[in-house]
Amino acid sequence: MTARSLSTSPSRKGFGVASIPTGLDTAAAGALGLAGTAALQSIEAVAPTASDTVLISGATGGVGALAVQLAVARGARVIATVRLGEEADFVRDLGAAHTVDYTGDIAAQVRAISPQGVDAVIHPAGDGRALADLLAPGGRFASPVGLGPDQLGRQDVQATSVMATPTPEVLAHLAEEVVAGRLHVPIWRNYRLEEVAQALADFAAPHVGKLAVSIG
Ligand SMILES: NC(=O)c1ccc[n+]([C@@H]2O[C@H](COP(=O)([O-])OP(=O)(O)OC[C@H]3O[C@@H](n4cnc5c(N)ncnc54)[C@H](OP(=O)(O)O)[C@@H]3O)[C@@H](O)[C@H]2O)c1
């Protein structure tokens, strides 16, 4: 990443480079690109409305934390998976209405909140097939992990395997959302380059949001 560009890996439709606008720091820009694109395109795939309940599995991670905010911005009621404790506070601060402990019986917890099932599932983590079972008939499922209709075992739901396409337009839109204060990039810690070994160790340990490594 250069000092004033927001970039990701090359994609099918573009090279994933956009200028960083004033008001977006480089750590947030670096953390935003691919995770933000995956979150945005997952949300667009399920198109939540204000009457929808959306289950986001992996809500404490880079993609999930951004997806929570994007779903809430559309007025949806979000159920977020967490380990109990500070992770629950983290996703509630992002706008989640409910939390469920993913180390326990997710199905029972979700059914207690939404007995008729949920309208949409975003799947950055967890057992996709079990999560799809929690959809109401006609529900929508988006998986940045790559699950599609053939893996879900249900014919009565719409499933989208999301491959993030970070075009310059998408990156610019995400950056504008952050600058406008409508989207927060949750950075757990910003490391110097010489701390990269610690960053990798911390990545493997419990954390919430993104870890950033700054160069220079
Ligand atoms: N399709 C694409 O273009 C695209 C783009 C970006 C990312 N991805 C993929 O999307 C996935 C998520 O990426 P990420 O950057 O958000 O990863 P991440 O930051 O590591 O987040 C994953 C989160 O899932 C949580 N988790 C782990 N097991 C879980 C379970 N069984 N149920 C619910 N939550 C669980 C983790 O919590 P703990 O900390 O408690 O373990 C963590 O907070 C990865 O597989 C990544 O490769 C795909």
Side-chain angles (χ1 to χ4, degrees):
M1 189 178 76
T2 64
R4 297 308 305 167
S5 73
L6 188 165
S7 68
T8 69
S9 305
S11 69
R12 284 171 286 139
K13 294 185 184 170
F15 286 92
V17 179
S19 297
I20 298 178
T22 301
L24 178 64
D25 68 58
T26 50
L32 176 64
L34 188 61
T37 302
L40 178 65
Q41 292 172 348
S42 296
I43 290 295
E44 288 174 344
V46 302
T49 68
S51 60
D52 284 338
T53 297
V54 180
L55 172 62
I56 301 183
S57 179
T60 45
V63 175
L66 293 162
V68 168
Q69 298 173 70
L70 294 168
V72 169
R74 288 173 175 242
R77 178 173 72 142
V78 169
I79 303 173
T81 61
V82 297
R83 295 176 197 257
L84 288 182
E86 70 179 282
E87 290 194 355
D89 294 335
F90 172 75
V91 295
R92 284 188 184 276
D93 286 347
L94 298 176
H98 302 276
T99 60
V100 292
D101 177 3
Y102 78 76
T103 65
D105 184 341
I106 293 182
Q109 295 170 76
V110 170
R111 294 279 182 203
I113 296 164
S114 189
Q116 74 284 11
V118 297
D119 301 291
V121 169
I122 305 291
H123 173 235
D127 179 342
R129 198 171 174 125
L131 294 165
D133 284 345
L134 296 170
L135 282 167
R140 293 96 70 198
F141 185 97
S143 176
V145 175
L147 265 64
D150 294 343
Q151 286 91 43
L152 295 188
R154 284 187 65 171
Q155 305 302 318
D156 61 336
V157 300
Q158 172 202 311
T160 306
S161 171
V162 175
M163 178 55 69
T165 304
T167 63
E169 293 76 18
V170 168
L171 296 176
H173 168 73
L174 288 165
E176 282 167 19
E177 291 298 292
V178 176
V179 172
R182 292 187 289 267
L183 187 63
H184 168 62
V185 183
I187 295 183
W188 172 252
R189 186 175 156 194
N190 187 1
Y191 301 82
R192 299 188 308 277
L193 183 58
E194 55 269 32
E195 296 176 308
V196 72
Q198 184 62 51
L200 289 170
D202 289 351
F203 183 65
H207 63 276
V208 289
K210 297 287 288 186
L211 309 184
V213 178
S214 293
I215 301 169

